[in-house]
Amino acid sequence: MIRLSELKLPLSALPVVPLRETQAAETDDDRAPLPHPLAALRVLARQALGIADADLIDLKVFKRSFDARQAELRAVYIVDVSLRDPTLAQTLLQQHAGNPHIVPTPDMAYQLLATAPADLPLRPVVVGFGPCGMFAALTLAQMGFKPIVLERGRKVRERTKDTWGLWRKQVLNPESNVQFGEGGAGTFSDGKLWSQIKDPRHLGRRVMSEFVNFGAPPEILVEAHPHIGTFKLVKVVENLRERIIALGGDIRFEQRVMDVEVATTQGTRQVRGLTVLEQATGQTYELRADQVILALGHSARDTFAMLHQRGVTLLAKPFSVGFRVEHPQSVIDRALWGRHAGNPVLGAAAYKLVHHASNGRAVYSFCMCPGGMVVAATSEPGRVVTNGMSQYSRNERNANAGLVVGIEPVDYPQDAATFIEAFGSLAGMQYAQEALYLRAADALAVHPLAGINLQRQLEANAFVLGGSNYEAPAQLVEEFVHGIPSTSLGSVVPSYQPGVKLGDLHSALPDYAITALREALPAFGKKIKGFDMPDAVLTGVETRTSSPLRMPRGDDFQSTNTAGLYPGGEGAGYAGGILSAAVDGIKLAEALARRVVDF
């Protein structure tokens, strides 16, 4: 087959697709293939290759995107074509060698790496059942390893009820919320399924295909920026879980890993087991294990602290902090789609923005949610954290995105007081002593848990600014830029639940972040008309953009100082979203299989 890219058609050539359903229940329309203008694409394909219609026997759409850079908005397709004569295909590829828009269709089929030995002494353990843990467990199960999965949160439907308990009743369950539970943090987000990672093996395609197998709309395989949305993800996650169980996997919910047993032999550290708290009974048990995948997610702060105490190497790494910004979706649609705004083929417009502020800080949009809502995303009592979420239809009134500022480990607090506040008096004093020693020895050395200190400081402060009841502090954009406290809303009604408390956000973030954000908002208004509209709403704070630490691993995907531990996904600092975390989970499972099967 031959892959052709940059086949462009006017928007008017596309079949009109009605807006999809928003309910959790799946409809026939949700699973129907996305219609494409195949006849028109055949004409473009024949023209690109210089062949007759009779030569072309099949055409399949691989990707579709939209190009709004010119006055006439166009759909841009990538297609795979089959020719009647295989020798003609080879001749055409030779003729067009060097043309990046005419290439052989790559083989994207996934082949399992190994088969588990029949005499496997111990089953591998996967800690965490977000995207990384799910695909690690699925891949291991498909290879016959029958993994044991430990998830501290609850099943996805129970978890959904707990999450709504915070949003509607201001009651937080610290073990079952936006961050913890089946499906991971990505379940309560826009469900974006694209990534900029290098993927020569097409593992991302494998992830997308599995999502479709488990109930996601088939069009995610075609859209350039696909997403599923929370309601759809719930069913997909349940189906994926049942498949792992059917293959012999054991998935245990409400199981929190409290400790790891590490044995040292001739200077080599090897994991030997886990201490697990069964939260329903309050009892702990020992689980023998010498192959453990750590798919923790970026909010497993107590587990990070425990791993540090057990000597597992952790390093502080950069992340970002900021606010959520909300505009009417119609404003964003008009700015980006122009006269085509509202066309159901296009759906809700999305944006991506970056500004390099004069103080050296980078400000950028993060996790943009078209037609979505801002949600409460804390996992700890007495703290406020925001995130964004969209349903599959993306038809809510507002658009929202994180507007965040990059920070470096040297920005993190290192003094004893913040460690004690963040981790408790005993552990906090230990970490503080370590951090102060590192500072004395090397001004650039930063304690691996220092980023968590900063997150907790900002989240606790936001809790107070919001009224100490899980409402979030908020301010109108124009008044934020000019340092004027907000007292009343304008045309933009904030979507955050349990609610917002208007005021002044200048104390919600470090000064360097506030300065950078005040400079960036007018600059973004020049790129997207209306972005700096006076009554757009900022809601604070966004602190869980990525993990504040990294768990170093070698080429074999094991911890650099503890054999048998395979850190991965967002929590370990190796992914930044659903797709990249899932791909990393596949790689972890393969690495584990290599060690066990010994090849």
Side-chain angles (χ1 to χ4, degrees), residues 282-305:
Q283 301 297 311
T284 60
Y285 62 92
E286 303 300 318
L287 180 62
R288 181 81 172 83
D290 54 18
Q291 308 290 329
V292 178
I293 289 175
L294 295 175
L296 301 174
H298 57 44
S299 295
R301 294 166 170 174
D302 49 359
T303 309
F304 294 146

Side-chain angles (χ1 to χ4, degrees), residues 151-153 159 174-182 299-300 379:
E151 167 56 54
R152 69 187 295 167
R159 175 193 178 197
E175 298 296 336
S176 180
N177 46 63
V178 167
Q179 307 296 346
F180 298 143
E182 184 179 26
S299 295
S379 55

Side-chain angles (χ1 to χ4, degrees), residues 182-195:
E182 184 179 26
T187 303
F188 295 93
S189 70
D190 187 61
K192 298 177 184 67
L193 296 175
W194 69 90
S195 173

Side-chain angles (χ1 to χ4, degrees), residues 149-211:
V149 179
L150 303 175
E151 167 56 54
R152 69 187 295 167
R154 305 175 74 186
K155 293 181 179 179
V156 67
R157 291 191 185 271
E158 298 168 350
R159 175 193 178 197
T160 300
K161 294 177 183 178
D162 294 332
T163 300
W164 281 102
L166 174 61
W167 295 351
R168 291 177 173 174
K169 301 178 182 179
Q170 296 161 277
V171 177
L172 172 68
N173 182 338
E175 298 296 336
S176 180
N177 46 63
V178 167
Q179 307 296 346
F180 298 143
E182 184 179 26
T187 303
F188 295 93
S189 70
D190 187 61
K192 298 177 184 67
L193 296 175
W194 69 90
S195 173
Q196 296 179 326
I197 60 172
K198 293 180 180 179
D199 190 18
R201 296 177 55 206
H202 309 286
L203 295 179
R205 188 71 175 183
R206 187 252 169 142
V207 171
M208 303 278 278
S209 297
E210 291 286 17
F211 276 133

Side-chain angles (χ1 to χ4, degrees), residues 187-362:
T187 303
F188 295 93
S189 70
D190 187 61
K192 298 177 184 67
L193 296 175
W194 69 90
S195 173
Q196 296 179 326
I197 60 172
K198 293 180 180 179
D199 190 18
R201 296 177 55 206
H202 309 286
L203 295 179
R205 188 71 175 183
R206 187 252 169 142
V207 171
M208 303 278 278
S209 297
E210 291 286 17
F211 276 133
V212 172
N213 291 339
F214 295 123
E219 67 192 59
I220 68 171
L221 294 172
V222 174
E223 293 295 345
H225 295 97
H227 84 116
I228 298 180
T230 295
F231 284 159
K232 299 296 177 189
L233 272 170
V234 167
K235 188 62 177 176
V236 170
V237 167
E238 287 180 325
N239 290 341
L240 193 153
R241 176 221 307 162
E242 292 306 315
R243 181 59 179 159
I244 294 171
I245 293 172
L247 291 170
D250 179 8
I251 303 178
R252 306 176 186 178
F253 293 99
E254 299 181 72
Q255 311 284 311
R256 180 148 61 97
V257 174
M258 304 296 291
D259 206 352
V260 296
E261 178 188 348
V262 177
T264 302
T265 304
Q266 296 181 341
T268 299
R269 290 163 49 91
Q270 166 69 49
V271 64
R272 291 301 183 196
L274 304 172
T275 301
V276 184
L277 171 65
E278 188 173 47
Q279 298 185 85
T281 64
Q283 301 297 311
T284 60
Y285 62 92
E286 303 300 318
L287 180 62
R288 181 81 172 83
D290 54 18
Q291 308 290 329
V292 178
I293 289 175
L294 295 175
L296 301 174
H298 57 44
S299 295
R301 294 166 170 174
D302 49 359
T303 309
F304 294 146
M306 177 272 292
L307 292 169
H308 176 70
Q309 287 180 316
R310 292 294 169 258
V312 177
T313 300
L314 310 177
L315 299 174
K317 81 166 190 53
F319 67 108
S320 300
V321 297
F323 304 127
R324 279 270 149 185
V325 61
E326 284 191 272
H327 304 85
Q329 183 63 50
S330 58
V331 170
I332 304 301
D333 290 345
R334 286 194 300 270
L336 298 181
W337 296 140
R339 63 185 178 87
H340 299 289
N343 188 311
V345 172
L346 295 172
Y351 58 80
K352 185 176 182 180
L353 296 166
V354 179
H355 175 73
H356 297 282
S358 56
N359 68 354
R361 302 285 173 166

Side-chain angles (χ1 to χ4, degrees), residues 475-484 486 504 514-515 517-523 532-534 538:
Q475 191 172 7
L476 305 191
V477 162
E478 184 177 51
E479 292 167 342
F480 170 77
V481 170
H482 293 97
I484 303 169
S486 294
D504 192 340
I514 296 295
T515 299
L517 285 165
R518 284 174 172 164
E519 180 183 316
L521 280 161
D532 59 344
M533 61 185 289
L538 294 168

Side-chain angles (χ1 to χ4, degrees), residues 22 36 63 133 239 241 260 273 333 446 461 500 503 539 558:
T22 62
H36 297 292
K63 286 293 178 185
N239 290 341
R241 176 221 307 162
V260 296
D333 290 345
V446 177
N461 184 44
V500 302
T539 305
Q558 296 179 72

